[in-house]
Amino acid sequence: MTTPGTSTGPRVAIVTGGSGGIGREVSQRLAADGMSVLVHYAGNPVTADEVVKAISDDGGTASSFGADVADEQQVGELFDVVEERYGGVDVVVHTAGIMLLSPLTEFDLDELDRMHRINIRGTFVVNQQAARRVRPGGAILNFSSSVVKLAFEGYTGYAATKGAVDAMTLILARELRGRDITVNAVAPGPTATALFLDGKDQATIDHLTNLAPLQRLGVPADIAEAVSFLAGPARWVNGQVVYVNGGVI
């Protein structure tokens, strides 16, 4: 696959949080689409290297790099590395984030600050570098959440961070006018990942499963399919929050 803009070689993607859950599936899908992939990790190089090996075993091109997404110097180094290894960057998929749940009245404010630092500041920092470096014909994809509009109890702090992601996405798309770079957010619904299933009893899982008309939980491959579309052929989808949730309203 070649870049729709100025690059003539394989497209190059950075996937933050690319070593686990949805990020892992996204990394492997973009590699299968023909992109060279930089798999970012926050603290565990072992799982990132597993993703790199899986991609390489399937004939793809990938490598890994660790960085704190909220640290502008480290994120700058991340982009430096991908440019040094692959010659540039065309796609940035920012899946990295954390989810801490509690009713608003009981939420620990230090935990709230930690989540805001990763989910809001991290998105801002990664988008800042992406906006400066992504080549024409490229795409920037953030990760929001369907819970912003579903308004589940206990999700106040998390949903607030993802509402901020929505705002950044919509405004950045307009600020990049004339650059031929799309900016969108993917908003998954209930998706069967270890992060999502952790701490939930079977009754809760069954309830969430039945929210969608398709009567199943999403799987990471469902989300990766949407990312592949927005990162590749979907050049006329821009400045949108795309709900990938099986029809949950």
Side-chain angles (χ1 to χ4, degrees):
M1 182 181 291
T2 59
T3 306
T6 57
S7 173
T8 57
R11 302 185 80 198
V12 178
I14 295 173
V15 181
T16 69
S19 61
I22 291 172
R24 179 185 185 119
E25 194 74 33
V26 167
S27 296
Q28 293 181 242
R29 175 57 186 263
L30 295 183
D33 289 343
M35 299 188 196
S36 300
V37 179
L38 194 288
V39 180
H40 158 269
Y41 63 91
N44 190 348
V46 175
T47 54
D49 289 342
E50 289 173 355
V51 179
V52 170
K53 183 178 185 303
I55 290 171
S56 299
D57 288 348
D58 286 338
T61 301
S63 59
S64 63
F65 189 81
D68 174 357
V69 294
D71 184 307
E72 63 269 35
Q73 181 174 344
Q74 292 186 34
V75 172
E77 292 171 357
L78 169 67
F79 278 78
D80 288 343
V81 164
V82 78
E83 290 175 344
E84 290 166 5
R85 292 178 184 175
Y86 303 118
V89 59
D90 303 291
V91 174
V92 175
V93 184
H94 181 55
T95 78
I98 62 172
M99 181 172 64
L100 305 175
L101 304 179
S102 172
L104 185 148
T105 55
E106 301 168 16
F107 211 113
D108 181 280
L109 294 182
D110 288 338
E111 291 289 83
L112 181 67
D113 289 344
R114 182 164 74 94
M115 185 163 59
H116 278 205
R117 181 181 185 276
I118 296 171
N119 292 5
I120 297 178
R121 180 185 169 93
T123 301
F124 199 99
V125 170
V126 170
N127 278 219
Q128 191 174 64
Q129 287 294 326
R132 293 170 179 170
R133 308 220 204 180
V134 167
R135 295 184 286 206
I140 300 169
L141 291 170
N142 292 319
F143 262 66
S144 180
S145 171
S146 291
V147 79
V148 174
K149 72 174 182 179
L150 294 175
F152 292 150
E153 294 179 16
Y155 283 76
T156 311
Y158 178 70
T161 69
K162 294 304 184 177
V165 170
D166 289 356
M168 282 185 263
T169 300
L170 302 183
I171 294 170
L172 182 58
R174 287 150 181 79
E175 290 182 347
L176 294 185
R177 177 182 296 275
R179 294 272 305 279
D180 191 23
I181 297 170
T182 61
V183 187
N184 294 291
V186 174
T191 305
T193 65
L195 175 67
F196 175 79
L197 296 173
D198 184 45
K200 292 181 173 67
D201 59 29
Q202 190 59 48
T204 300
I205 294 171
D206 290 343
H207 169 70
L208 294 169
T209 298
N210 287 318
L211 287 177
L214 298 175
Q215 291 192 301
R216 68 172 177 86
L217 293 175
V219 295
D222 294 322
I223 314 305
E225 183 174 40
V227 170
S228 173
F229 176 64
L230 294 169
R235 298 308 302 166
W236 200 235
V237 181
N238 189 28
Q240 304 297 317
V241 178
V242 180
Y243 289 89
V244 187
N245 62 23
V248 177
I249 300 173

